[in-house]
Each structure stands twice: as structure tokens, then as C-alpha cells.
Amino acid sequence: MTERGPDLEIIATVSAKRAGRHWITGLAGAGATYFRINGAFESIETIRRMVKTIQKGWTKGRAPIWLDVPRNKIRIAADRPRSTFKMGQAIRLGLGDVNFPAFFRPLHRGDVLYAKDSTYRFTVERRTESSAVLRAEQDGAIAPGMGLHRKGGWDKLPLMTLRDLELVELARQYDVPYLGISYLRHSSEIDEIRKVVGPRIKPIFKIETWHAYNELPKILGQLDTISIDRGDLSSEIGIENIHTAVRRIMRSAHRRKIKIFLATQFLSNMIRNPLPSISEVTSLHEAFEDGVHGIQLSEETAAGLFPIASVHWLRSLFAAWGRRSTGRLGSIPLRSHALDRQR
């Protein structure tokens, strides 16, 4: 197993509204060790302002920036208006509704598509070269930037988009130390992306596609750090397989002494509530037991009502897990909730 330090590393995702001094100092004070910016949802200029704001020195360099490059994920177009749907409703998507026109070609009647970390499911009823009709299996909303997945994933997509290249250039300009590289599909992409990124920035490759899972030995043989996104991976290999798949990836990574970050839905209950659920606490303890080096919080800190408390709880739960051999029980103070209420 890769040697883990005494503390858990915590990636706190920040949005434009959470990039101010109150939130940055509060998140760092609660224990965040990286500030993650998701390059898929903000404009380039907004991301530039966020980077400059975070770099003002409020945290004295304790939490560097981790900028995610979205790459070639199939998404709802950024300029498509948000729309709600009901279970059983037919939803038509055309060329202007998705970011890659090639989305429609591999679809067949009866195919199942997933979205929103496998919490949305749609069945393909009809498709042409330029459109598809999907049947919703639950209530929900089609939102700009929402990813669309199918079992077996997508292939034959460009290595990097123009937006990706703009984000890489921004990272170079502002000395952003880490780039999260989304949607790695094949081992052959690793060297190509490293050449694009350059030697001054460390790319953190994400294991979140069906193709990457099936090329795992070749991919892990080239890396010293990975991030496993449980949400997108579950949409490509099937949510029923995600626990087994993550365990396999982690065991393989530990044998090669690779550092492991885990992402998706660790404290989802705290998006709207000040406390985690029992299942979330149990899942986190299992991740600690399995030797994870870091946990990524996404909506919990970017959009949730209790971002600082979420980081504080994560740090405190890791400390409680560390006391497991003593048999001593403790309590977690709720002082960080007051900071969230000052928003």
C-alpha cells in the first residue's frame, strides 16, 4: 500500500460565489488542502478571476489550486436553457442541444443513458443522425453542462477541445500547480496530454470511463497519482458494479504505490443539511480503511448550504477513524456551522 501521511487530503470544490475571502479562509481553516475549480461550468474569464482571488495569499499557500480540464465529455450544450421533465416524459435532443454532434450516431433504440452521477436514467426511443428522443425514468431537469453517459462509454472523440487548451494556457499563466484531467480513455493519451500540459504543471488523471477501467494495468503503469470519480464511472460501467470496480482500482493502485483520491457523493446529505447521514459516515470509514489518500468534495462545498461544516466533518471523521484502535469515543464540535450561517 502507498504510504499515507498522518492527515487526509481534502479537495474542496469552489464556485464563483465561493471564491471570496470568507469562504476561502473558512474552508482552509476547516482543513481543505486543495481548492478545486471545475473548468466545465464557469466562463474562462470567471475562472481567471477565481484563480487570481484564491492566490491573494489568504491561506498562505496551504491549499494550492486544482483546476479540472473537462476534455471531451458528452454534455448538454452550455447555451441550452434549463428545462424540467417528469417521469415518463419524452425529451427530444437535437444537434444544438449537445456539445458533440457525434453523440447521436452510436445510439440505438432501447439504449440506456445516465446523467447526474447515475441518479438520472433515460431510455432511447428513437434516433436519427441529428436527433434522439429519450424517455425519462424519473422527475428531474436538463441543465446546461450536464453530462450524458451510456454503458460502454463513448469513443472516437477529440483529445482536447479548444476550451481545454484555453484552460491549460490559463494554468500556465498563473502558475496553477495541478490540472485534473477528466475522461482518460486510453493509455496512449497520457503522453500526448503531458506534452500539451508541459513540465511545470502536474496532471492528475481521472479514472472515470469504461475504456480506462478496461485498460487499467497499462494506465496505472504510467502514473503516480490518480483520482477515481465514482459518479461518472458508475454511469459507464453500471452503478451496480461501482463498489467492486473501485475496490479493484484501489488494490491495483496500492500495489504500484500510487496515490489515490476519491470523488463523488461522500457528504451529499450536507448539501442541504448540517449533518452527514449514517451511510455517508460508514462509506467514508470504509474509504479510510481501504487506504485512500484524499477525498474530493464537489457540490458539498461549491453549492451546498454547509461548505465549511462539510470540510470540518470530513477532517473530524478521519480523526475519529484514527482513534479506532483505542476504543475511545469522541464528539465533533459544530463551531464551523456558524461560519456557514454568515454567508
Side-chain angles (χ1 to χ4, degrees):
M1 183 179 292
T2 318
E3 185 176 348
R4 177 172 57 196
D7 290 322
L8 180 75
E9 297 188 46
I10 299 175
I11 306 167
T13 303
V14 291
S15 56
K17 68 178 183 179
R18 292 276 162 80
R21 181 168 188 168
H22 171 75
W23 297 113
I24 296 302
T25 55
L27 291 167
T33 51
Y34 302 88
F35 289 115
R36 172 180 174 261
I37 300 173
N38 189 337
F41 296 112
E42 309 283 1
S43 70
I44 296 294
E45 192 50 45
T46 298
I47 292 171
R48 188 187 310 278
R49 289 197 299 269
M50 291 171 68
V51 168
K52 291 168 69 175
T53 299
I54 294 170
Q55 288 179 335
K56 283 185 176 178
W58 298 326
T59 66
K60 298 181 173 57
R62 284 180 295 165
I65 294 172
W66 172 317
L67 176 58
D68 262 13
V69 176
R71 289 191 69 219
N72 47 23
K73 180 177 182 176
I74 301 289
R75 295 181 184 274
I76 297 296
D79 57 356
R80 184 189 191 276
R82 185 180 186 274
S83 60
T84 59
F85 56 83
K86 295 292 186 181
M87 183 172 64
Q89 182 177 332
I91 302 164
R92 185 187 181 279
L93 296 178
L95 287 175
D97 295 319
V98 292
N99 59 341
F100 285 106
F103 164 73
F104 302 103
R105 291 177 197 148
L107 296 180
H108 298 89
R109 178 180 171 85
D111 281 355
V112 176
L113 303 182
Y114 297 86
K116 207 175 179 182
D117 297 333
S118 294
T119 59
Y120 288 177
R121 177 176 156 132
F122 309 92
T123 302
V124 177
E125 292 208 334
R126 297 191 303 276
R127 77 98 184 163
T128 68
E129 288 290 306
S130 58
S131 68
V133 175
L134 313 179
R135 186 70 62 180
E137 299 190 12
Q138 65 290 302
D139 296 350
I142 300 286
M146 186 178 80
L148 293 169
H149 305 263
R150 65 171 185 157
K151 281 190 178 181
W154 311 98
D155 211 352
K156 298 181 180 178
L157 295 169
L159 182 72
M160 300 189 88
T161 66
L162 177 60
R163 181 180 179 85
D164 297 333
L165 297 176
E166 290 176 326
L167 290 169
V168 170
E169 183 55 37
L170 187 153
R172 287 200 197 101
Q173 182 180 355
Y174 291 97
D175 294 320
V176 172
Y178 301 100
L179 281 180
I181 306 298
S182 303
Y183 293 91
L184 178 67
R185 290 182 174 85
H186 302 290
S187 59
S188 58
E189 297 174 347
I190 294 173
D191 281 342
E192 293 182 67
I193 291 172
R194 281 173 171 158
K195 288 175 185 175
V196 173
V197 170
R200 290 169 41 212
I201 302 172
K202 183 177 179 62
I204 309 293
F205 290 90
K206 295 186 180 184
I207 309 298
E208 56 184 345
T209 66
W210 180 88
H211 294 92
Y213 183 71
N214 282 281
E215 285 193 31
L216 197 59
K218 290 181 181 179
I219 286 171
L220 295 184
Q222 301 180 58
L223 304 176
D224 61 10
T225 306
I226 60 169
S227 176
I228 306 170
D229 188 307
R230 306 187 303 175
D232 287 336
L233 183 60
S234 72
S235 296
E236 295 217 354
I237 67 171
I239 193 169
E240 67 276 14
N241 300 312
I242 191 61
H243 183 72
T244 300
V246 170
R247 282 285 180 88
R248 179 199 169 210
I249 296 168
M250 292 187 70
R251 285 195 300 268
S252 298
H254 282 314
R255 284 197 295 270
R256 294 168 172 83
K257 301 189 182 304
I258 293 172
K259 188 174 184 177
I260 305 165
F261 292 94
L262 279 179
T264 309
Q265 295 182 1
F266 276 104
L267 290 174
S268 292
N269 197 58
M270 293 192 70
I271 294 172
R272 297 192 174 276
N273 301 288
L275 300 173
S277 68
I278 292 174
S279 60
E280 288 169 345
V281 171
T282 302
S283 176
L284 279 165
H285 275 251
E286 288 178 354
F288 302 154
E289 203 71 49
D290 288 341
V292 70
H293 297 82
I295 297 290
Q296 175 185 305
L297 298 177
S298 299
E299 286 184 83
E300 299 96 331
T301 52
L305 298 179
F306 301 95
I308 297 171
S310 295
V311 174
H312 180 69
W313 265 95
L314 185 50
R315 175 71 63 207
S316 299
L317 288 170
F318 184 72
W321 174 80
R323 295 192 298 268
R324 66 199 182 286
S325 61
T326 68
R328 290 188 293 112
L329 301 179
S331 62
I332 297 178
L334 303 184
R335 60 181 182 275
S336 56
H337 296 178
L339 294 174
D340 287 321
R341 287 195 291 271
Q342 294 173 20
R343 57 187 176 274

